[in-house]
Amino acid sequence: MPNFSLPDDVFVRAAKEFPTPFYLYDEAGIRNTARALNAAFAWAPHFREYFAVKALPNPRILEIFKQEGCGADCSSECELLLAEKTGFSGDEIMFSANAMPPAEFDHARRLNAIVNLDDISDIDLLANHGGISEEICVRFNPGGDFKLGNAIMGSPGDSKYGWTREQLPVGLKRLREMGAKRFALHAFLASNTTDPSYYPGLAGILFELGAALEKEVGMPLSFVNLSGGVGIPYKPDGVPADIAAVGEGVRKAYEKVFGDPAKATVGIKTELGRYMTGPHGWLVTKAVHEKKIHKDYIGVDACASNLMRPAMYGAYHHIHVCGKRDWPETETYDVTGCLCENNDKFAVDRKLPKVEMGDLLVIHDAGAHGFAMGYQYNGRLRSAEILYTQDDTFRMIRRAETPEDYFATLL
């Protein structure tokens, strides 16, 4: 079933208070997801989720995750600044970036963040920009295809990220000589999967690799970072990930290599983004135009500048017409924005109830990589972000852009 975790009354009340389009985020849903993840990995030594800031970079959202015991996964200086200003510091921050400007290493080291090195050449870069820390994480890329059984879940051989297996002992020995006392492993081998075997399969690879590298380089394994990859079911017939089953699968893989988690010392980290906030965000927009030519079109007051995933990836986002959830889907529409691009469509040939001008259309599962990927093409401005709080009120956590913002950087 589509994600109908909020009643239409919430969207209607929000639209009376704030002009469309806007993003609406459900605080209770976000907190419950964070708690379910923490419960699923409560068995794991030193477990911490580092929320992927790139998925939803808003300090009010980061505050929620900090209150729930999570850290921040950052991939740029601005994301470091955002985490810092929200109160994260030290090992509450994981800095993972690739081909980054050297100054970003300096910033991460000033914060005493955990640095995750993407390439063996980054050793010298880090040494000259902040210095080598006692605990250092490295990102592994096994190459080829990542398979579970006969299913290909990802193609790391085509990915720009990570070290090869051959580079790991060479680089880790050098890091040890330069002052590192503990190492950690990180890998991201599949994206947006709800298959409960993904994390356990990845964990097994990293656990065995870490145990082997301990012997090869003479340095203890501090933790394994399973990164992201656990996804959400965008389509109505999709099945959500069973995070409790995922956690149990990782536990079994852990015990196979390290034994009793209560006695072992290797920690577990995650860097989930989409799973944490994706289902708890909606883009709320209004029908403003209807066009009938070779097809029937409904134009809304949002566009791909607000949510580019359908235009960029052909991604599916469920859409419902507020107040008409149970109405028969008698019409077939392309739901479009107003950009001068033919791919500015939120849906193509989508069955919906009859849409009248002024109807609210709610675009689901937009809480991750939605607002964050916005842009200003055609002079279209990014929308407001609204938090639906646990006490049934609304809080604007980012105002909509204005023309003055658009011109502010011109000289």
Side-chain angles (χ1 to χ4, degrees):
M1 291 293 293
N3 175 22
F4 285 136
S5 57
L6 294 182
D8 277 357
D9 172 68
V10 172
F11 303 113
V12 171
R13 286 191 289 128
K16 289 179 179 178
E17 193 168 338
F18 307 99
T20 56
F22 57 82
Y23 274 89
L24 184 75
Y25 306 121
D26 178 22
E27 178 185 1
I30 292 171
R31 289 188 184 276
N32 289 338
T33 296
R35 293 170 187 176
L37 176 66
N38 285 331
F41 285 88
W43 59 268
H46 318 299
F47 175 74
R48 177 174 282 161
E49 151 68 4
Y50 289 83
F51 173 66
V53 175
K54 59 182 169 287
L56 184 48
N58 188 294
R60 305 290 83 82
I61 300 300
L62 295 188
E63 285 174 355
I64 292 172
F65 283 115
K66 185 170 176 58
Q67 292 164 7
E68 296 297 335
C70 301
D73 163 42
C74 300
S75 299
S76 70
E77 185 163 31
C78 278
E79 289 183 1
L80 285 171
L81 285 166
L82 188 55
E84 182 181 9
K85 292 179 182 297
T86 311
F88 293 92
S89 63
D91 65 1
E92 294 176 323
I93 301 174
M94 190 81 63
F95 180 62
S96 300
N98 65 97
M100 74 293 291
E104 298 190 0
F105 272 141
D106 288 309
H107 195 157
R109 291 294 288 123
R110 285 198 302 271
L111 294 175
N112 203 26
I114 299 172
V115 175
N116 181 28
L117 293 180
D118 180 65
D119 185 63
I120 193 169
S121 67
D122 288 338
I123 294 175
D124 290 329
L125 191 62
L126 179 61
N128 294 320
H129 292 275
I132 304 298
S133 56
E134 292 188 355
E135 183 177 58
I136 194 79
C137 187
V138 295
R139 186 169 186 166
F140 172 55
N141 183 332
D145 292 324
F146 176 60
K147 297 181 179 180
L148 289 177
N150 294 320
I152 296 176
M153 303 192 72
S155 299
D158 292 328
S159 170
K160 67 177 182 175
Y161 305 112
W163 304 35
T164 68
R165 175 62 176 90
E166 293 75 22
Q167 290 174 328
L168 287 172
V170 176
L172 289 173
K173 287 177 181 177
R174 185 146 185 265
L175 285 165
R176 184 193 64 194
E177 294 167 357
M178 299 171 74
K181 295 183 178 179
R182 304 178 301 280
F183 77 96
L185 286 175
H186 172 289
F188 178 82
L189 304 185
S191 179
N192 193 39
T193 177
T194 57
D195 187 328
S197 64
Y198 168 59
Y199 253 11
L202 172 62
I205 292 171
L206 294 180
F207 294 158
E208 292 178 2
L209 175 60
L213 287 169
E214 281 187 315
K215 298 176 182 178
E216 293 178 38
V217 304
M219 190 162 53
L221 176 65
S222 178
F223 65 82
V224 164
N225 187 334
L226 300 174
S227 188
V230 178
I232 61 174
Y234 284 97
K235 294 187 176 181
D237 58 353
V239 178
D242 183 343
I243 202 65
V246 169
E248 178 63 13
V250 175
R251 183 187 66 79
K252 291 178 179 177
Y254 188 98
E255 291 179 344
K256 184 177 179 180
V257 178
F258 300 120
D260 185 354
K263 299 177 181 178
T265 59
V266 177
I268 302 291
K269 317 294 182 186
T270 58
E271 292 174 349
L272 295 168
R274 189 192 319 265
Y275 177 80
M276 305 300 288
T277 59
H280 310 303
W282 297 260
L283 177 58
V284 182
T285 184
K286 186 177 294 183
V288 295
H289 186 257
E290 183 174 11
K291 182 174 184 176
K292 293 179 177 292
I293 48 172
H294 307 293
K295 301 177 74 173
D296 289 354
Y297 296 90
I298 292 294
V300 296
D301 58 5
C303 64
S305 294
N306 304 111
L307 177 64
M308 72 182 296
R309 294 187 74 255
M312 184 175 185
Y313 305 123
Y316 179 96
H317 283 264
H318 190 71
I319 299 174
H320 86 269
V321 184
C322 224
K324 299 181 180 180
R325 290 185 181 185
D326 299 323
W327 287 33
E329 296 175 336
T330 57
E331 312 298 319
T332 301
Y333 299 112
D334 283 12
V335 180
T336 75
C338 55
L339 295 186
C340 298
E341 294 288 342
N342 195 45
N343 67 353
D344 181 21
K345 297 178 180 180
F346 296 112
V348 175
D349 295 329
R350 186 70 59 87
K351 298 289 291 185
L352 290 171
K354 173 65 177 174
V355 176
E356 305 292 344
M357 295 303 94
D359 278 350
L360 289 180
L361 275 67
V362 179
I363 303 176
H364 291 229
D365 300 309
H369 311 289
F371 181 93
M373 295 175 70
Y375 54 104
Q376 295 176 322
Y377 179 63
N378 260 178
R380 298 298 171 184
L381 305 177
R382 287 173 284 235
S383 65
E385 293 180 296
I386 311 299
L387 184 67
Y388 176 55
T389 71
Q390 295 185 103
D391 60 3
D392 192 36
T393 61
F394 302 102
R395 177 186 179 189
M396 181 183 290
I397 59 175
R398 189 191 303 268
R399 66 167 174 79
E401 289 180 336
T402 67
E404 288 73 19
D405 297 319
Y406 184 73
F407 295 115
T409 58
L410 296 177
L411 298 177

